[in-house]
Amino acid sequence: MWKEFREFISRGNVIELAVAFILGAAFGRIVTSLVNDILMPPIGLFLGEVDFSNLYINLSGESYPNFAAAQEAGAPTINYGLFVNTLVSFLILAFALFLVVRSFQRMQRKEQGAAPAEPTTKPCPYCFLVIPLKAVRCPDCTSDLAPAAEHG
């Protein structure tokens, strides 16, 4: 069983997937920081000095000065400000992944359509059977054909 596990882990796809997962997690942290530390403060300032991380609905009925105090007291809350931050992070991450996938698909399309294959067959001008490009006599109607260079 250990040998099978080592073979599974050493396959290229598994290692690539692990690297992609680690990079994705790091990229997620970067996006979260971008949203929380760079994007949301100016948006909150523009909306009248709103701190999105402090937006919550207190379900306990008691009054707390901020979200941290409500959380420390163990009050049940609906944290819609944190949800907005998470939603913005998700949208940025989804858009970045969309751009990466779109670029990858475009590269694949260019590689597939870059060089069309040279033809290896041609139709016989007499019976229209598909024959090899270099054929000088049709195997079906036995017509003499000009060399391939003349028919180009």
Side-chain angles (χ1 to χ4, degrees), residues 82-112:
L82 294 175
F83 177 75
V84 169
N85 284 354
T86 303
L87 184 62
V88 172
S89 293
F90 169 77
L91 292 174
I92 290 172
L93 189 59
F95 184 70
L97 288 175
F98 166 74
L99 293 176
V100 168
V101 169
R102 190 177 79 168
S103 298
F104 183 72
Q105 288 173 341
R106 283 186 179 174
M107 282 186 350
Q108 279 187 327
R109 273 188 243 134
K110 285 181 183 177
E111 287 175 4
Q112 290 172 355

Side-chain angles (χ1 to χ4, degrees), residues 9 14 19 22 24 36 39 44 46 51 61 64 73 97 103 114 119 129 135 138 143 148 152:
I9 291 296
V14 174
V19 169
I22 292 168
N36 293 341
L39 293 179
F46 177 74
D51 179 8
Y64 298 100
L97 288 175
S103 298
L129 180 76
C138 178
S143 299

Side-chain angles (χ1 to χ4, degrees), residues 34-105:
L34 172 73
V35 170
N36 293 341
D37 302 329
I38 298 192
L39 293 179
M40 296 313 274
I43 291 172
L45 182 65
F46 177 74
L47 295 176
E49 298 187 26
V50 176
D51 179 8
F52 283 88
S53 64
N54 257 337
L55 297 178
Y56 68 100
I57 297 172
N58 182 4
L59 300 176
S60 71
E62 297 181 31
S63 178
Y64 298 100
N66 57 31
F67 173 66
Q71 192 175 28
E72 189 175 306
T77 58
I78 296 176
N79 310 320
Y80 66 92
L82 294 175
F83 177 75
V84 169
N85 284 354
T86 303
L87 184 62
V88 172
S89 293
F90 169 77
L91 292 174
I92 290 172
L93 189 59
F95 184 70
L97 288 175
F98 166 74
L99 293 176
V100 168
V101 169
R102 190 177 79 168
S103 298
F104 183 72
Q105 288 173 341

